[in-house]
């Protein structure tokens, strides 16, 4: 069956994730981030929010993913009251495939899906020392809305970053 292709980023194919991609997504997560989730969590997010679970592949290998959740609650940017918000739970690219525009492409596509789904803003948490990611989000015009002290298990703090959609 033809997988649901969204487009390309250079040599990479960008498409919606499918259940069969979850093991590869878990591999990318394990290789790149200290925050891991149960297998069930990935399948559950994919099942509930398939439009914002997107992968990049090359030569049949998934090398990057973004996984998001649509939430309803108070505006992170304090620009609205209650609103639909897109939450980027996790985004990562394998080291050897970084700096080729794949992460940017996945974030932009997920934000477009959020906008189409009626979200007014997008937000995420990022380690305060994660310069690469913070710089990428700033480039995409995210702003720091606050700092969450000791947010991560190892005690590191997180920036809460957000952008209006
Ligand atoms: C953040 C991440 C997803 C970006 O993926 P990517 O596929 O390399 O993204 P892109 O190629 O689209 O963007 C690269 C951008 O990252 C930033 N960046 C890359 N390397 C950097 C560095 N050494 N220092 C500062 N910023 C850097 C730049 O803004 C760069 O944009 P530019 O090429 O226009 O200068 C990737 O670095 C990653 O997987 N990191 C580990 C996992 C992680 O931290 N995820 C985010 C958790 S919140």
């Amino acid at each position: 069956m033809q997988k649901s292709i969204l487009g390309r980023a250079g040599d990479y194919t960008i498409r919606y994730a499918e259940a069969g991609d979850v093991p590869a997504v878990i591999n990318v997560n394990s290789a790149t981030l200290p925050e891991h989730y149960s297998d069930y969590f990935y399948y559950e997010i994919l099942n509930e929010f398939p439009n914002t679970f997107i992968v990049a592949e090359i030569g049949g290998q998934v090398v990057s993913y973004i996984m998001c959740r649509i939430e309803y609650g108070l505006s992170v940017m304090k620009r609205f009251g209650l609103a639909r918000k897109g939450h980027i739970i996790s985004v990562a690219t394998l080291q050897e495939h970084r700096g080729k525009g794949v992460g940017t492409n996945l974030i932009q596509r997920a934000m477009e899906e959020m906008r189409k789904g009626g979200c007014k803003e997008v937000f995420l948490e990022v380690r305060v020392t994660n310069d690469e990611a913070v710089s990428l989000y700033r480039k995409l015009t995210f702003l720091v809305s606050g700092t969450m002290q000791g947010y991560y298990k190892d005690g590191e703090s997180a920036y809460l970053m957000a952008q209006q959609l």
Side-chain angles (χ1 to χ4, degrees):
M1 198 176 73
Q2 171 80 39
K3 294 186 175 172
S4 213
I5 292 175
L6 287 161
R8 300 192 66 81
D11 295 335
Y12 298 82
T13 300
I14 311 296
R15 59 175 178 76
Y16 292 117
E18 299 178 350
D21 295 316
V22 169
V25 167
I26 292 173
N27 279 341
V28 175
N29 171 269
S30 304
T32 54
L33 279 165
E35 285 73 47
H36 308 304
Y37 313 92
S38 67
D39 293 9
Y40 175 76
F41 182 76
Y42 291 90
Y43 289 106
E44 189 185 49
I45 294 292
L46 178 59
N47 195 36
E48 276 194 59
F49 310 105
N51 293 346
T52 49
F53 201 144
I54 302 172
V55 295
E57 74 175 0
I58 187 162
Q61 184 198 4
V62 169
V63 299
S64 184
Y65 72 90
I66 187 165
M67 143 169 109
C68 312
R69 182 163 54 208
I70 308 303
E71 301 174 5
Y72 184 75
L74 282 176
S75 161
V76 171
M77 303 183 84
K78 302 188 175 61
R79 294 200 183 161
F80 321 98
L82 291 171
R84 271 168 87 80
K85 307 178 284 189
H87 184 179
I88 299 179
I89 301 170
S90 185
V91 54
T93 301
L94 287 179
Q95 178 78 54
E96 58 272 35
H97 297 277
R98 289 186 195 161
K100 295 182 174 154
V102 172
T104 301
N105 198 294
L106 292 185
I107 295 168
Q108 287 174 330
R109 285 181 195 275
M111 285 179 4
E112 182 55 30
E113 296 285 346
M114 290 170 186
R115 200 177 293 124
K116 283 197 257 172
C119 292
K120 293 206 166 170
E121 64 184 14
V122 53
F123 73 99
L124 55 87
E125 300 86 12
V126 58
R127 286 177 180 267
V128 295
T129 57
N130 191 344
D131 295 339
E132 289 184 26
V134 170
S135 130
L136 171 56
Y137 301 138
R138 283 195 197 280
K139 196 178 71 181
L140 289 167
T141 71
F142 280 75
L143 295 173
V144 173
S145 294
T147 303
M148 298 155 87
Q149 300 295 338
Y151 177 79
Y152 294 99
K153 273 194 187 135
D154 59 9
E156 189 172 345
S157 300
Y159 288 133
L160 183 60
M161 297 186 77
Q163 186 194 147
Q164 198 166 330
L165 288 172

